[in-house]
Amino acid sequence: MRPPSPPSPSSVLKAFCRAAFTLWACMTGAAGMAQATPAIELAGLDLPALVQGAQQVSGRGCPAVRARKPAALERPWRSVVTAVSMRCTALDGPDGKPDARTEAIATLRPGAAVLQGVPVVALRHSASWAHDDQQYVLAAAYSDIATRMGAYIKARCLSQATAGGGVEGQCTAVHEEGGQGLFMRTSELGGLWLRPDPDDAHRTVLAEAWSE
C-alpha cells in the first residue's frame, strides 16, 4: 500500500486562508457586538458612591476613606466606570474633631452613558460636612447644548420645587457674565449649574451643589 501523498502547497494555503478568515470573522463579529451595546440613558444627577468609608470620615478624617473600585459600584455603574480616583484633604469638623474634604473622579467608558443624548465622559463628586457638589462632565461644548440642557435643568428644577416647596427665585435661570453658564436655585443652600468645563472648552459641566 502506498503511503498517502503529502498535501499540495495550494491545498495547505487554502486551508490556512479559511482558518484565518474564520478567526477574523469571529473577532470582527465580537467587536461589532461590543460596539452595538446601547448606551445607558441617565436621568438626573444620581451618582454612585465613589468614596468608601464616607460615613466614618467625621472623627477620623482621611484615614477613614478610599476610592471605590469600579467592580464594587452599584449597577449599572460597574459596567460603565473604568476607573475611580480620589483626593482627600484633612480639615476640622464643626465640633473641632478630625474631618475631611473628598474629591472623587470616575472615568466612564466612551459611549457607555448619555444624558439627554449627550455623552457623559466623567463623574465628579466633592463633599465635606459643609458642602456637596455632584457633577456630570458632558462631551459637548457649552454653546452646542446650552439651550437643550437649559430646558432639561429647568424641568428638573420645577419637579424638585413641586415636591419640596419653593424659595424666592427658585428655578429662574441666572446667566453668568458673558453668557458662559447659568444657575438655577433649587433651595436656600444650593442649586443647579451648567457651565463650560474650565479644563476643556469642548466639554460642559452639569452640577448640583449646596454649601453652608
Side-chain angles (χ1 to χ4, degrees):
M1 179 180 295
R2 292 183 178 180
S5 301
S8 65
S10 61
S11 63
V12 172
L13 179 60
K14 289 179 181 179
F16 174 79
C17 290
R18 282 196 297 269
F21 177 79
T22 301
L23 177 61
W24 173 83
C26 290
M27 294 178 65
T28 302
M33 290 177 63
Q35 293 175 357
T37 302
I40 296 170
E41 179 66 47
L42 303 178
L45 283 156
D46 187 18
L47 274 64
L50 301 177
V51 176
Q52 185 76 32
Q55 295 79 9
Q56 288 78 45
V57 71
S58 179
R60 295 182 58 193
C62 289
V65 296
R66 59 181 175 82
R68 297 184 72 189
K69 296 180 179 180
L73 300 178
E74 300 81 1
R75 295 184 185 277
W77 294 107
R78 67 182 62 175
S79 64
V80 174
V81 174
T82 60
V84 180
S85 61
M86 186 202 72
R87 180 173 63 181
C88 185
T89 304
L91 54 80
D92 292 333
D95 55 3
K97 295 181 179 180
D99 214 300
R101 169 194 176 103
T102 58
E103 298 170 89
I105 299 176
T107 302
L108 273 57
R109 182 164 48 83
V114 296
L115 179 69
Q116 298 293 297
V118 182
V120 180
V121 295
L123 313 175
R124 298 172 182 165
H125 188 199
S126 173
S128 72
W129 65 268
H131 87 288
D132 189 85
D133 185 353
Q134 301 186 67
Q135 301 181 0
Y136 282 167
V137 182
L138 309 175
Y142 177 81
S143 58
D144 294 337
I145 61 172
T147 300
R148 184 198 328 178
M149 295 307 299
Y152 166 74
I153 65 173
K154 176 80 170 182
R156 178 173 172 80
C157 184
L158 289 172
S159 69
Q160 292 177 334
T162 301
V167 296
E168 184 177 355
Q170 190 168 18
C171 300
T172 299
V174 178
H175 293 273
E176 297 185 4
E177 187 175 352
Q180 291 298 298
L182 63 85
F183 166 72
M184 287 186 190
R185 182 173 297 282
T186 58
S187 69
E188 293 183 356
L189 297 179
L192 295 161
W193 280 263
L194 184 71
R195 58 168 68 107
D197 186 347
D199 299 326
D200 188 338
H202 299 291
R203 294 181 175 181
T204 302
V205 173
L206 172 61
E208 185 167 16
W210 63 265
S211 63
E212 294 188 355

